[in-house]
Amino acid sequence: NLELDTALFYVENLYSSTAMTTIDVPSYVRWDMRVGWRPTANWEVSVLGENLNDSLHREHGDAFGFTSKHVPRAVYAQLTYRR
């Protein structure tokens, strides 16, 4: 009835340069985790955490490399009903 999922991501330094901007995102490690509990066959309660090892890191914000964004640590709760 109890589930534990975890993922560890390593991203090497990301560098992008265009005529308008240069973006240099340092390498980072991100650790995500999910704990789920099924009290019955139909109900599941989960808690998910993203970026647990760091309060903030930068990632590329778009596919073209024009922007970067800061990604904060986040925690979510989820309640699921399945028929």
Side-chain angles (χ1 to χ4, degrees):
N1 293 0
L2 193 62
E3 298 176 346
L4 175 66
D5 305 314
T6 188
L8 187 66
F9 302 91
Y10 172 75
V11 178
E12 184 63 47
N13 182 311
L14 301 171
Y15 180 80
S16 176
S17 183
T18 67
M20 298 185 315
T21 186
T22 298
I23 294 181
D24 188 14
V25 177
S27 62
Y28 61 89
V29 174
R30 190 181 99 198
W31 175 42
D32 299 348
M33 186 184 329
R34 175 190 160 274
V35 177
W37 175 54
R38 294 181 189 221
T40 69
N42 300 87
W43 288 98
E44 180 180 6
V45 179
S46 301
V47 177
L48 302 91
E50 296 177 341
N51 198 29
L52 294 175
N53 61 307
D54 196 358
S55 62
L56 193 69
H57 72 267
R58 281 182 38 207
E59 292 184 2
H60 270 285
D62 63 27
F64 304 106
F66 293 129
T67 63
S68 69
K69 63 180 180 176
H70 286 88
V71 179
R73 177 179 298 134
V75 177
Y76 307 95
Q78 179 178 333
L79 179 64
T80 305
Y81 177 78
R82 293 185 179 93
R83 291 183 173 196

